[in-house]
Amino acid sequence: MRGAKSAKWVAIAAVVALAATACGGSDSDSGDDSNAAIDPNGKFSIEVGEPQNPLQPANTMESNGSIVTKALFTGLVDYDSTGKIEMMNAQSVDTTDNKTFTVKLKPGWKFHDGTPVTAESYVKAWNWAAAPANKQTNSFWFSDIDGYADVAPEKGKAKATEMKGLKVVDDNTFTITLSTPLPYFVYKLGYEVFSPLPESFFKDPKAAGEKPVGNGPYKFVSWDHKKQIEVARNDDYQGPNKAKNGGVIFKNYTNLETAYEDLKSGNVDVLRQLAPRDLPVYKQDLGDRAVDQAYSAVQTIAPAFYTKQWKGIDPKVIQGLSMAIDRKTITTTVLQGTREPATGWVAKGVLGYQPDLGTDIFTYDPAKAKALIKEGGGVPGNKISIQFNADGGHKEWVEAVCGSITKATGVACTGDSKADFQADLDARDAQEVKSMYRSGWVLDYPFNANFLRDLFGTNSSGNQSGFSNPEVDKLIKEADAAKTQDESEKLYQELEKKLPEYMPSIPLWYYKVNAGFSEKVTGVKYAQDGDPILTGVQVKK
Amino acid sequence: MGRYVARRLLQMIPVFIGTTLLIFLMVYALPGDPVRGLFGDKAGSPQVIAALRHEYGLDQPILVQYWNYMKDMILHGDFGTQIASGRPVTDVLGDAFPVTFRLASLAFAIEVVLGIALGVAAGLRAGRFTDNAVLAVALLFISIPVFVLGFICKLVFAEQLGWLEPNVNDSSDYGQLLMPAIVLATASLAYVTRLTRTSIAENRRADYVRTAIAKGLPKSRVVGVHLMRNSMIPVITYLGTDIGALMGGAVVTEGLFNIQGVGLTIYQSIVRREGTTLVGLVTVLVLIYLLANLLVDLLYAVLDPRIRYA
């Protein structure tokens, strides 16, 4: 009786599963049929988790918050898909010495509350965000500006409330003076932390974080915590990226699986990423509406150079380990094609990206890998471990990488799993990583320095591995001291070409966006940070 | 009776202090720092980290933190602030509890009505076909993992038949909550059924039932009043603890159906090491558990006059 009953259930489940795969994709509606009538005032919805922080531009650090603040605020500049700078609220950003930048604003811009966007709106906002007392998580972004050290000293009380490097000239002009010249500083200005803030913000920053007033293509409508955030098109918007739709509803989902189910049943229009569960079927399910493209992020494994194992190691050993990883097979099998094998340290879509560094350390070659490790004196202890966080879906590929290394070189390799991301970070911060660790880097601004200088300089903010090399530091200094942005980019490219000699980390693969959208929308494109470009989405009638 | 209730209420105080302190210490013992966690792979400015840690009192010894937290909570009803969002924890609780409450009450109603009905049906026909059929269904419900049942329900009722929405988009719509509530109720429903069945089958042969039948009372009254009243004691005990379990949120079910309730809030708070949010949630849950237990004990006296609380 019991057996019969449960067998029947299993049978039902199997039939259902078969039916689900069989009828998926049969109705492949063309994703971009340009003859569908467009409703210019139609709203669409997108899957986003609850933002962790209040919606203050200098306080959003994770993707759920930043996609919303980017819709509400427009900064001085932005960049196109190749990493070229586009002027937004700025008419021009000029410099003669890479140290003092003169910013001219386009006149006539207004905040959503009708007040004008002036030079003061920028200067005041940046000074406010830089002050540690205001506890903005992104405040260190202002550290290039002259006078930051007085506003946020390493120790003791702040000596000033305003950075002396920021000066208002007139309503539409201000100057930024840096403490040291930086030829690509304009790139940093594209980050939302450099957004302007209206006068009303400073009266009650907390309330502004709940009901932000911005100057961007969308106006804030409502935020129903843990349910949804709604924004509407800003009709007075003067920028080049005026919204082609009536507004966006950011719908909160508990996980990617539920979001995908809702996409199929028409309850949400745009996804940002898919769960591994749906990867094998999504192209079949969605047809032309499936998205599969690279974005500017790279996954690496880094040796902890402060450990006894890696201190003073010959880079040849790390080169050997890199050549022992069969990236191509792992990305296509274990990772189901959601990643692309890396060919350098700088990700795609970034200015200065080089498809080929003229080295073979990224090719799988067990024989050469073995030889290199031997040449470099072998891996101390002949075993390595890779630390990762168990809640991030990394276990499978770490095991695959380990298997690949062991098979090719005979070096024993294990995964060192930490319960969650917090525990993983904790071990990295406390320099307690036993051997190597997993690390990822998503672009902040699409300039190759972001992937090199901010990670491998001895005192860089993103350097957690303890990597320190006087030669690399010197090259970084030279690239930062270049006369022009182009020259700086070239010098950084040269530095990247030299990195195989130092091996600060082993790049594994570039990330890809695997997502999709509903039949209701067209023109869904994704930017370098992996987020959809909201203003370009069109809603069908 | 009044003195008994007062004594029980007083006993809650040490339990309450013990549980909250335990949770506080457990969160503290986990590696990771909620403020540092805000910055992810990028290193934040040390000044801001220090300022945030100071604001939330994380730079003080753990027992001092606990003392301050409890003081604010008891004196001002202030549960602290959530570290990442800067929202008062009371708001966060106010978002999560109503959602879970709706889901839990629906699931609870399903399991009480169906569970007791099936249990009585099986108990009155103990050993016959009905009894065995109910037993089989109950065992099936107990043994299927929640997420499997959830997926099957979604596939059958949402994707194939299109009767229901696959996920909850509006947590105040009981129609959308129906499927998750059924999934959530199944395991408990099976237990309620088994408990009721055993109890009814046992008491069916009791003297007072025979007397009631001999007096010529109609069957409905014999079963509905005399038999049921006495048989409900073990069932009520289970239901009392189940109220607490349901209100504690079901992490799996809530995640499966996109319900932003207590279960998920607890899960996220653990992942982000949000001690204050977690203790706030647990405090409310402990109170619910304690009160549910008290209610159950008082119901014993109502159901069985032989039980008296002096």
Side-chain angles (χ1 to χ4, degrees), chain A residues 81 167-168 234 270 281 321 327 341 400 433 455 496 519 523:
Chain A
S81 56
K167 286 199 176 60
V168 177
N234 173 11
V270 180
V281 294
L321 288 173
R327 292 174 178 75
V433 177
L455 284 170
E496 193 191 5
E519 287 163 11

Side-chain angles (χ1 to χ4, degrees), chain A residues 111 113 115 124 197-208 211-214:
Chain A
F111 284 107
D113 59 3
T115 53
K124 203 168 169 181
L197 293 171
E199 209 45 50
S200 61
F201 178 94
F202 306 102
K203 290 198 185 79
D204 190 353
K206 216 181 162 89
K211 290 194 176 69
V213 174

Side-chain angles (χ1 to χ4, degrees), chain A residues 79 191 296-297 349-350 441-446 450-451 528-529, chain B residues 42:
Chain A
Y79 15 81
Y191 201 63
S296 307
V350 172
W441 189 261
V442 185
L443 90 160
D444 297 315
Y445 48 95
N450 182 227
F451 284 77
Q528 285 100 318
D529 55 3
Chain B
K42 326 243 175 204

Side-chain angles (χ1 to χ4, degrees), chain A residues 1-2 5-6 9 12-13 16 19-20 50 52-54 61 132 135-137 139-140 148 152-154 206 210 225-227 251-255 258 261-262 264-265 267 277 391 420-423 425-426 428-429 438-444 461 464, chain B residues 31-34 36-48 51-52 55 81 84-87 95 99 129 136-137 139-140 151-152 154-156 159-160 165-167 169-171 254-260 264-265 267-268 270-273:
Chain A
M1 176 74 240
R2 221 178 311 152
K5 230 184 159 60
S6 46
W9 267 100
I12 289 176
V16 168
E50 169 85 359
Q52 262 191 48
N53 308 72
M61 211 156 183
K135 304 177 190 108
Q136 299 292 291
T137 46
S139 63
F140 62 92
Y148 175 81
E154 292 282 333
K206 216 181 162 89
E210 289 288 318
H225 280 282
K226 294 214 155 175
K227 281 204 187 72
K251 278 181 83 168
N252 195 323
Y253 279 94
T254 49
N255 55 42
T258 53
E261 283 161 2
D262 265 21
K264 285 195 293 189
S265 60
N267 286 321
R277 184 190 91 185
D391 63 350
D420 53 23
F421 192 48
Q422 287 261 9
L425 278 177
D426 207 44
R428 287 197 238 165
D429 284 347
R438 171 216 79 87
S439 168
W441 189 261
V442 185
L443 90 160
D444 297 315
S461 59
Q464 295 176 314
Chain B
D33 168 0
R36 173 63 189 86
L38 297 176
F39 296 85
D41 267 330
K42 326 243 175 204
S45 110
Q47 302 92 323
V48 171
L52 280 166
E55 182 188 0
T81 16
S85 65
R87 298 173 69 208
D95 278 345
V99 176
F129 173 76
V137 173
L139 285 174
L140 187 77
F151 279 133
I152 292 177
K154 275 191 190 193
L155 275 172
V156 175
E159 289 194 20
Q160 304 294 313
E165 290 288 338
N167 294 306
N169 283 306
D170 173 12
S171 57
E254 287 184 2
L256 208 58
F257 290 98
N258 194 37
I259 301 166
Q260 313 275 2
L264 268 158
T265 313
Y267 173 74
Q268 279 168 353
I270 294 174
V271 167
R272 295 182 190 165
R273 308 286 186 272

Side-chain angles (χ1 to χ4, degrees), chain B residues 89-156:
Chain B
V89 172
T90 37
D91 280 11
V92 178
L93 298 185
D95 278 345
F97 268 103
V99 176
T100 295
F101 180 74
R102 279 193 290 266
L103 179 67
S105 40
L106 197 55
F108 191 72
I110 293 171
E111 73 183 60
V112 169
V113 174
L114 268 180
I116 292 178
L118 284 172
V120 170
L124 291 177
R125 295 173 190 74
R128 306 227 291 279
F129 173 76
T130 316
D131 185 25
N132 285 327
V134 170
L135 171 70
V137 173
L139 285 174
L140 187 77
F141 279 161
I142 291 174
S143 56
I144 294 185
V146 170
F147 63 92
V148 174
L149 194 66
F151 279 133
I152 292 177
C153 282
K154 275 191 190 193
L155 275 172
V156 175

Side-chain angles (χ1 to χ4, degrees), chain A residues 169-180:
Chain A
V169 179
D170 59 41
D171 266 359
N172 290 321
T173 321
F174 68 101
T175 59
I176 310 167
T177 309
L178 307 181
S179 43
T180 51

